[in-house]
Each structure stands twice: as structure tokens, then as C-alpha cells.
Amino acid sequence: MRDRLLALQGEASQEIVDAPNLESLREVKVKYLGKKGEITSVLRGMGSLSAEERPVIGALANDVRSTLSTLIEETEAKLESAKMAEKLANENVDVTLPGKSISIGSLHPINAVIEEVEDIFIGMGFHIAEGPEVETDYFNFEMLNLPKNHPARDMQDSFYISPETLLRTHTSAVQVRSMIDKKGEVPVRVISPGKVYRRDDDDATHSHQFTQIEGLVVDSGVSMSELHGVLLHLIHKLFGEETEVRLRPSYFPFTEPSVEVDIFHPEKGWIEILGAGMVHPSVLEKAGYDAEKYTGFAFGIGAERIAILKYDIDDIRHFYQNDLRFIKQFKSV
């Protein structure tokens, strides 16, 4: 058996060295070192050996395996090196050719506005609040001082799913939910960006779906002058420190007093950009706050309107048509 193992070592070594390629080398490895290989077949006869011979033959078999494995690894490295050299010699690569251009994406202008506004308000200590887009009549209307007969409840204005469920018409419902979650505690300082839905004919300036960013502050001693200061800071950050701002009296059921806020555009004159006001006492009371003790202000911004003014866009429909020619213009935004 000893002679047979040494003979196999010699045969295998020669076949390994003579292997012309990696595939042939793998075949030699299986032939001699595999589970059904030549060396394994010889070792199956060890049962007929004496107790003194078995450890000697076992040690020899291990030496033969180790020698052949080392030789196979060395030969494999040489064959792989030769294969790579042949490949490099046969392939002609022009390293002066230009590389493939990689298209880099960017934020959608609406998302860019949302993130910019969020950064401004986070810097003033506000938190971001979210809520469901499918809302109940209770949070969307009743809690905001909108009685059953209010015009905003008209089916021409809202997308109703059932008599008590609709697609939210504003993110003011998130403000109500935020107050309820605080359980009468102050301060409340949140902004709530999100999609809202209203029945409207889509054209250059109107859409049935748009994006609102609403804000709410509730605390002791909150005043109209504080609201004015917050809005001035926001507008100057968005449009520049020299932007002229004016507040006009208005009416919203959930704020009293209420104002509409305009900015002066050099070419278009005064343009309304948001609505705001002091939170109506009844809204505070319904949300669990003592209106004699606490006051608050709220405001609502249209993200599309801000983007149209900032980036000089002429049609709101561009935001939703997924035209890459339009989107690619905002890579630097």
C-alpha cells in the first residue's frame, strides 16, 4: 500500500504539472483527491493492515495529500496568471475613450420648498407633525369651527368617501390632532406639511391636489405681533431680506382675527402667499385648552405657490406631469 501511494503521488504530480488549463487541473484534483479519487480508493484497504502499519500508512497518506494540494495551488496560480496575461495581450482597450455619463438626480422643487421651510421652522424650535390624508369630518371640519352648513363642506369643494370621511382639504386637521395629543400642555409649536385635496378644475394656477405647510403655536401670551415676526422671518429667508410684506384683514372660521399675507413682486406687484391668524377660542376649547389662559396663532402656506414664485414657474401642472425636462432644471436647488 505504501508503494501504491507513492506511485500515485508521482502520477498525480506529473498530471498536475502537465495540466494545460484550469479546467484540466480541476479534473486532476477530483481524480486523485476527490471523495471517490484514487487515494481514497487505496485507503479503503487499510482495514486489512496490522495495528502497527495503520498509523504509518495514514501519516503517509496525509503527506501525499498535502504535497499534491500544495502543488495544485501553485499550478492554479500559474495558470490564472497565464490566462490573465493572454487576455490582456488579446484585448485592446482604448483608455482615452470618454467614460459613461452618470445622471445625478435632484429634489423635486416641491420637496425642496418643503425641506427649506422645515429647516427654517426647526431653527425656530418647531416640530414636524404628520397626519392621515383620509380624514374624518370631525377633525377636518367640526374641530376647526366649521359647522355642518359651512360652504367649505359643499360636495363641490371636498372629495367625500362617506358622509363622515373625506380626503383632507387642509392640514389643519394635523394641528388639531397635535393639540389633542398634548392634552392641554404647552408649548405647542408644530408645522404640518402634506398633500391636501379639493374639487377644482385643473389649469395653470389650480390643482385638485396640492401641498400645504401649516403651522401652529399655542402658549401663554402668544400675540399677533409674534405671528407677524415669525412670518417676516420665514418670508425673508425664502425670498430675501429686502422683500416687502403686508398683512390684510381676512376671514377664516378657525382664526380670529385673520389675515392674508402678501409679498411685493417687482414684476407682478402684490401677491398673496399665505393665510394666518390667531387661533379661534372655540378651537382651543374643543382641543382641551383654556382659552382664557392660552392663546395661539396658525398659518397655512401653499408649497406650490412658493415654488412658482421662487423658481419663476408659469404653470402649476408642471409639478405633477413627471416631465424630466422640467425636473432636470432643478439639480442645483
Side-chain angles (χ1 to χ4, degrees), residues 194-218:
K195 295 177 183 176
V196 297
Y197 307 86
R198 297 180 189 175
R199 288 181 177 269
D200 210 339
D201 295 326
D202 290 6
D203 57 29
T205 57
H206 298 84
S207 175
H208 67 280
Q209 172 196 299
F210 54 100
T211 308
Q212 269 194 343
I213 309 172
E214 299 203 17
L216 171 71
V217 171
V218 178

Side-chain angles (χ1 to χ4, degrees), residues 110-329:
I110 296 299
N111 288 335
V113 167
I114 291 172
E115 290 194 5
E116 184 177 3
V117 172
E118 286 179 344
D119 288 343
I120 292 169
F121 279 103
I122 288 172
M124 290 191 284
F126 283 67
H127 299 280
I128 311 299
E130 296 181 344
E133 292 182 25
V134 178
E135 190 55 274
T136 63
D137 179 275
Y138 178 74
F139 283 109
N140 196 78
F141 289 135
E142 290 185 32
M143 289 292 289
L144 290 164
N145 209 30
L146 288 156
K148 290 290 185 183
N149 60 351
H150 195 278
R153 289 172 169 271
D154 193 295
M155 285 294 291
Q156 298 302 313
D157 296 327
S158 307
F159 289 101
Y160 280 90
I161 299 170
S162 72
E164 296 299 323
T165 311
L166 71 160
L167 297 180
R168 66 185 180 190
T169 58
H170 42 210
T171 55
S172 302
V174 181
Q175 298 178 4
V176 173
R177 289 178 178 274
S178 297
M179 285 191 285
I180 292 175
D181 288 343
K182 292 283 283 189
K183 298 179 180 179
E185 296 182 0
V186 293
V188 180
R189 300 178 72 86
V190 298
I191 62 167
S192 51
K195 295 177 183 176
V196 297
Y197 307 86
R198 297 180 189 175
R199 288 181 177 269
D200 210 339
D201 295 326
D202 290 6
D203 57 29
T205 57
H206 298 84
S207 175
H208 67 280
Q209 172 196 299
F210 54 100
T211 308
Q212 269 194 343
I213 309 172
E214 299 203 17
L216 171 71
V217 171
V218 178
D219 206 344
S220 300
V222 175
S223 64
M224 195 74 178
S225 61
E226 184 178 349
L227 168 62
H228 188 204
V230 167
L231 296 180
L232 278 178
H233 179 72
L234 169 67
I235 292 167
H236 288 162
K237 285 290 186 181
L238 288 174
F239 299 105
E241 295 293 334
E242 303 303 317
T243 305
E244 293 185 61
V245 181
R246 74 178 182 187
L247 277 63
R248 292 179 291 106
S250 186
Y251 167 76
F252 303 110
F254 33 84
T255 54
E256 177 59 39
S258 303
V259 295
E260 288 182 348
V261 181
D262 304 334
I263 64 170
F264 186 78
H265 191 280
E267 298 176 2
K268 303 176 183 178
W270 289 103
I271 301 174
E272 178 199 341
I273 61 166
L274 62 90
M278 300 301 294
V279 180
H280 198 289
S282 66
V283 174
L284 290 172
E285 295 284 354
K286 288 179 181 179
Y289 286 86
D290 183 351
E292 296 292 330
K293 186 177 180 182
Y294 300 115
T295 53
F297 64 74
F299 55 86
I301 311 164
E304 285 83 355
R305 184 167 297 186
I306 301 299
I308 284 172
L309 291 172
K310 279 179 68 70
Y311 309 130
D312 196 23
I313 296 168
D314 61 359
D315 194 323
I316 194 174
R317 290 170 292 192
H318 292 319
F319 294 126
Y320 305 109
Q321 291 173 338
N322 296 323
D323 189 332
L324 290 178
R325 295 171 301 176
F326 171 74
I327 301 298
K328 286 179 179 178
Q329 299 177 68

